[in-house]
Amino acid sequence: MCLYCCFTLSSIPQVVGVSVTSGSDQMVALHTTSQDDFLVHLQRGQLNPNQDRVGELVGILTDHFTRVKNTPLPVKVCSTGLQVHMSGKPKSIIVETKPGQTVADFKKSRTGFTLLLPHQ
């Protein structure tokens, strides 16, 4: 898993919603009460590169919200990119494939960040 910022299980009570991309890029944003969202790119398994780990994460969080918080988890599916807050400021996260890129990596852009993925 490629983590953009520090996040622990003790931070789960601060999560108020989740945004995911609809493509195969496996990007997830956990929205928090502090408006300092957590951005994750879930890497596929080496044994099965077609694994969809986003569904697994959303399922675990939904179960946690249902059992512990007794409330539904708001999930937003985005087709082009994600909107997050970092230090209270809105940022856009887009996904690009780049020839010559060997591993997934985040790059700062004018409006937020770009997730660079290897060209397939």
Side-chain angles (χ1 to χ4, degrees):
M1 192 174 352
C2 174
L3 305 180
Y4 176 71
C5 63
C6 185
F7 188 79
T8 64
L9 289 177
S10 63
S11 301
I12 288 180
Q14 295 178 356
V15 173
V16 294
V18 175
S19 292
V20 300
T21 52
S22 61
S24 62
D25 50 68
Q26 302 282 292
M27 192 163 53
V28 177
L30 302 176
H31 304 292
T32 66
T33 56
S34 65
Q35 288 197 328
D36 200 7
D37 298 343
F38 179 70
L39 184 60
V40 179
H41 171 255
L42 299 172
Q43 296 190 8
R44 297 177 184 276
Q46 290 180 349
L47 296 177
N48 184 357
N50 294 324
Q51 287 177 321
D52 181 355
R53 299 197 173 210
V54 171
E56 183 180 354
L57 177 62
V58 170
I60 289 168
L61 288 173
T62 299
D63 178 64
H64 173 80
F65 266 67
T66 303
R67 285 185 306 104
V68 176
K69 290 188 167 190
N70 200 26
T71 183
L73 172 69
V75 178
K76 182 176 181 181
V77 180
C78 306
S79 60
T80 57
L82 300 177
Q83 297 296 316
V84 297
H85 283 88
M86 294 184 174
S87 300
K89 297 178 183 173
K91 302 287 182 185
S92 296
I93 312 300
I94 60 171
V95 179
E96 291 180 5
T97 56
K98 181 179 174 185
Q101 185 80 22
T102 58
V103 295
D105 196 13
F106 286 99
K107 174 181 87 171
K108 190 171 171 92
S109 68
R110 275 185 325 135
T111 59
F113 293 89
T114 301
L115 172 61
L116 297 171
L117 296 175
H119 186 69
Q120 297 178 344

